[in-house]
Amino acid sequence: METSYLIPVYAAYATTSIGLTVWLARTLFKNGAVFLEEVFADQPRMAEAVNRLLVVGFYLLNLGYASLLLKADASATPVQAVEV
């Protein structure tokens, strides 16, 4: 069974997943900083450190889950590959 059509599907999925994750992480980092500065008003360095840790955790969680979803079996048709 030929699975050459899975490579473009994987590439499109990976590009979309990484792009959305990076965009959302930057948005959350920027807007979350305002909230964390309010919470840690007396410790601005702590607010920055917590914000960076949350972004790293966000990247790990989302990109890890996206890579788990790439485990698709060999589908019969290109349409089934896109559906998977």
Side-chain angles (χ1 to χ4, degrees):
M1 186 181 308
E2 187 177 334
T3 60
S4 63
Y5 56 84
L6 283 177
I7 293 175
V9 171
Y10 285 159
Y13 175 76
T15 303
T16 304
S17 297
I18 291 170
L20 284 174
T21 300
V22 168
W23 172 74
L24 190 55
R26 287 183 180 185
T27 302
L28 290 172
F29 181 78
K30 182 177 65 173
N31 295 324
V34 175
F35 172 74
L36 290 172
E37 286 170 359
E38 180 70 26
V39 172
F40 297 105
D42 55 339
Q43 298 175 326
R45 289 182 60 210
M46 178 67 84
E48 184 179 336
V50 169
N51 199 14
R52 289 186 189 276
L53 285 173
L54 287 171
V55 168
V56 169
F58 180 80
Y59 277 126
L60 290 173
L61 182 70
N62 282 299
L63 293 177
Y65 184 71
S67 66
L68 281 177
L69 290 180
L70 282 174
K71 289 176 51 177
D73 57 348
S75 302
T77 66
V79 173
Q80 287 178 341
V82 172
E83 290 173 351
V84 168

